[in-house]
Amino acid sequence: MQRRDFLRHGAAALVTASSPARAFGIVVQDGNRPATPCGVATGDVAGGRAIVWSRTDRPARMIVEYSTTASFADRRRVVGPAALEDTDFTARVDLADLPAGQRISYRVQFQDLSDLRAFSVPAEGTFQTPSQQQDRDVVFSFSADSVGQGWGIDPAHGGLALYDAMRRAEPDVFIHLGDTIYADQPLQREVPLDDGSVWRNIVTEPKSKVAQALADYRGSHLYNFQDEHLKHFGSEVSQIVLWDDHEVRDNWYPTQRLDADARYAVKSVALLAARAKRAFLEYQPLRINPIEAERIYRSWSRGPLVEVFALDMRTYRGANSPNVQPALNDDSAILGSAQVSWLKSALAGSTSMWKVIASDMPIGLVVPDAGGRFEAVANRNDGPPLGRELEIAELLAFIRDRNIRNVIWITADVHYAAAHHYDPSRASFTRFAPFWEFVAGPLHAGTFGPNALDRTFGPEVRFLAIPPGMKPNRPPSDGFQFFGLGRIDHRTRALTMQIRNRKGDTLFSIELPAE
């Protein structure tokens, strides 16, 4: 059954709270019951588990029912945590013992803790669990950069329309590669367009200034949930979410100070990042690591065909610099030694055919920072690895030396889409096997590029989604918004990678055979 069929069915008849084993509680008048203004979302679906996430508007207890049927005939019920002020009324339930290879239908309700008779209207969703057999294709989408460069939600221009294009592609999972919000870029109510028309943003108080307090960062996340495309997408597609810089501020690193930026009363980026990460973890459907609660990097096996390895290139980096350190140390790190060790071990131990490394920043694209510093891995020096390139060189050599096959990279950050092929025959560093890097985005932000390529690892542009000489910061209404789509054929095990646009049109496609 297709996922759209599940959402045509309404919730089963509601019964009183005195019958908790049968169904949900009584829904009372609108003004007196909890709301679910952000809808529902699922994430980290793997290993028979899934996170179900939602938010309410008052102290209330989260309750989840789920089933393998749209009619909820075999439903199970989980009474979850209380959503309170300390999490901005967000809550999540970690479902366990889910059947493999099933589309799960679920619904969320909140019980008002001040009036136990009052329940919210059930919010419904579905998600696909991974199959443990090679009996169906696996489809994943990826993109990044949402509500950036002054382009907020304008309903007259379609809202966050790329989410609808991705939903119609029916991926099993969406990998958000970061910049889930733009906490450092306030919105103006009106932005003139080149054709003489006007882009009219919905503007909220938190989005009218740079974020500094925890409430500001929460408000930036809340802003995006005003869009129905995003909420509809979240109710149908599970997610794997990373973060990048704009969840905090542009081009940040942990030891940075903002003494010269008059917009910020808070000068410590470490303090801003702590508040930003708290809001990020509250508002995304992530499974909180039981040992390291603030850790973002992690992996998921989607069965025998693919495993996704999500990186964090923000939390453990050294300061942005000219990026030419001759030795690998804390100053030249971008992943950090603990994350590199984890990734090596996880890649070597993976039993999935395809290994997808999800990186918030690209490998070979030059991403400059102010004052001759660099933001990403590349340093515009085409010679042997230096600076942050040393960590990537070590990782690529490990993948080659351990004969780990079928590794691709997906990435974003640069606000355009491209396909790059890396080959040691074109590189100054040669201890690696050829691989592909696919770039996607923006989801709903200004379009820029293209960026220059650094030749250290031998990249070559095989596809570029934007025209030459394009004016920078093109609005979403110009159509240069992109997502990637991967499909693994369960019979041939080949991976087809595509780049699609805001309309869902396929602009580029390549089939990669499995080794």
Side-chain angles (χ1 to χ4, degrees):
M1 181 178 292
Q2 295 294 312
R3 69 189 61 179
R4 61 177 70 95
D5 296 327
F6 279 81
L7 296 182
R8 291 174 182 160
H9 299 269
L14 297 176
V15 300
T16 65
S18 62
S19 304
R22 293 178 57 199
F24 287 172
I26 291 175
V27 175
V28 297
Q29 293 181 357
D30 283 355
N32 298 321
R33 66 188 180 198
T36 51
C38 300
V40 292
T42 55
D44 293 6
V45 179
R49 299 172 66 190
I51 293 293
V52 174
W53 174 94
S54 189
R55 180 183 185 272
T56 188
D57 62 349
R58 68 193 69 185
R61 187 165 299 281
M62 185 181 189
I63 303 169
V64 178
E65 286 190 342
Y66 63 100
S67 173
T68 57
T69 66
S71 64
F72 286 84
D74 61 343
R75 65 179 175 269
R76 298 180 65 181
R77 187 172 188 266
V78 177
V79 177
L84 300 174
E85 295 86 349
D86 64 332
T87 62
D88 204 29
F89 304 116
T90 64
R92 71 198 71 210
V93 165
D94 195 347
L95 302 181
D97 300 322
L98 297 172
Q102 292 281 337
R103 177 149 291 277
I104 304 297
S105 185
Y106 70 95
R107 56 196 180 201
V108 173
Q109 205 173 20
F110 285 94
Q111 182 183 27
D112 192 333
L113 292 176
S114 296
D115 179 1
L116 298 180
R117 300 169 301 169
F119 289 74
S120 64
V121 173
E124 298 188 22
T126 72
F127 61 91
Q128 178 70 41
T129 61
S131 174
Q132 297 306 310
Q133 308 297 324
Q134 255 178 232
D135 56 359
R136 62 181 302 273
D137 293 357
V138 176
V139 183
F140 59 91
S141 63
F142 58 96
S143 192
D145 318 313
S146 192
V147 186
Q149 288 72 52
W151 307 110
I153 299 170
D154 180 353
H157 282 96
L160 308 186
L162 195 75
Y163 279 99
D164 189 57
M166 288 196 297
R167 182 187 62 82
R168 288 185 278 109
E170 297 194 342
D172 299 315
V173 63
F174 167 57
I175 306 162
H176 199 311
L177 294 165
D179 290 342
T180 56
I181 60 168
Y182 279 72
D184 59 327
Q185 296 184 0
L187 296 175
Q188 303 296 320
R189 293 198 177 277
E190 295 188 350
V191 183
L193 298 176
D194 289 348
D195 63 3
S197 63
V198 176
W199 182 282
R200 291 182 171 83
N201 286 315
I202 296 173
V203 180
T204 61
E205 193 276 333
K207 286 296 295 179
S208 65
K209 60 186 179 181
V210 297
Q212 300 184 73
L214 177 57
D216 300 333
Y217 288 106
R218 288 167 167 170
S220 290
H221 286 279
L222 265 174
Y223 178 88
N224 294 2
F225 283 102
Q226 296 177 100
D227 182 77
E228 292 302 317
H229 297 312
L230 182 150
K231 288 192 286 189
H232 194 179
F233 181 81
S235 72
E236 293 192 23
V237 182
S238 67
Q239 302 178 49
I240 297 169
V241 187
L242 289 67
W243 78 337
D244 192 26
D245 56 336
H246 290 287
E247 284 84 1
V248 180
R249 71 176 301 276
D250 191 30
N251 296 359
W252 74 276
Y253 49 88
T255 59
Q256 187 178 31
R257 288 193 57 83
L258 305 178
D259 297 316
D261 194 333
R263 300 177 303 164
Y264 287 88
V266 178
K267 299 302 182 181
S268 167
V269 170
L271 176 55
L272 293 175
R275 291 169 176 167
K277 183 174 276 190
R278 171 72 60 85
F280 173 80
L281 294 172
E282 288 172 344
Y283 273 87
Q284 301 299 335
L286 287 80
R287 177 173 293 106
I288 304 302
N289 188 294
I291 298 174
E292 191 178 347
E294 294 188 352
R295 187 170 120 178
I296 291 174
Y297 68 86
R298 57 210 189 281
S299 70
W300 306 259
S301 173
R302 297 288 303 185
L305 290 179
V306 65
E307 186 166 357
V308 178
F309 306 84
L311 304 185
D312 178 357
M313 287 186 159
R314 284 289 154 192
T315 303
Y316 313 102
R317 66 166 55 200
N320 289 357
S321 71
N323 198 23
V324 291
Q325 296 93 337
L328 180 57
N329 52 38
D330 290 345
D331 291 335
S332 56
I334 191 167
L335 295 172
S337 58
Q339 187 173 187
V340 170
S341 295
W342 162 82
L343 182 56
K344 287 178 178 179
S345 178
L347 285 168
S350 176
T351 59
S352 296
M353 176 59 62
W354 288 94
K355 293 88 176 168
V356 177
I357 300 178
S359 168
D360 48 303
M361 303 206 78
I363 297 173
L365 287 173
V366 177
V367 184
D369 193 5
R373 298 185 296 270
F374 292 91
E375 246 286 274
V377 174
N379 56 17
R380 210 190 297 271
N381 181 340
D382 293 336
L386 294 169
R388 292 170 177 162
E389 294 173 335
L390 293 166
E391 243 178 13
I392 302 303
E394 176 188 322
L395 180 60
L396 294 179
F398 174 85
I399 291 171
R400 188 202 72 168
D401 295 347
R402 293 294 295 268
N403 198 29
I404 301 171
R405 306 291 185 91
N406 306 313
V407 178
I408 67 164
W409 293 67
I410 57 174
T411 189
D413 183 71
V414 290
H415 291 241
Y416 68 93
H420 301 145
H421 184 257
Y422 290 75
D423 195 293
S425 67
R426 297 186 294 263
S428 57
F429 175 80
T430 60
R431 286 184 54 210
F432 69 95
F435 66 95
W436 284 86
E437 175 188 61
F438 298 94
V439 186
L443 265 169
H444 187 90
T447 308
F448 292 84
N451 291 39
L453 278 171
D454 184 298
R455 299 293 174 182
T456 296
F457 301 115
E460 181 178 77
V461 177
R462 296 289 180 89
F463 170 74
L464 182 64
I466 57 175
M470 184 191 71
K471 181 180 176 181
N473 197 18
R474 304 315 308 144
S477 53
D478 278 9
F480 297 113
Q481 310 280 297
F482 309 102
F483 70 98
L485 192 74
R487 178 182 293 274
I488 304 173
D489 188 302
H490 71 280
R491 294 156 300 194
T492 67
R493 301 183 296 177
L495 169 60
T496 298
M497 294 294 293
Q498 297 180 344
I499 300 294
R500 297 191 181 188
N501 65 12
R502 193 173 188 240
K503 295 180 180 179
D505 299 331
T506 300
L507 308 179
F508 169 81
S509 183
I510 185 170
E511 181 179 291
L512 307 177
E515 294 185 36

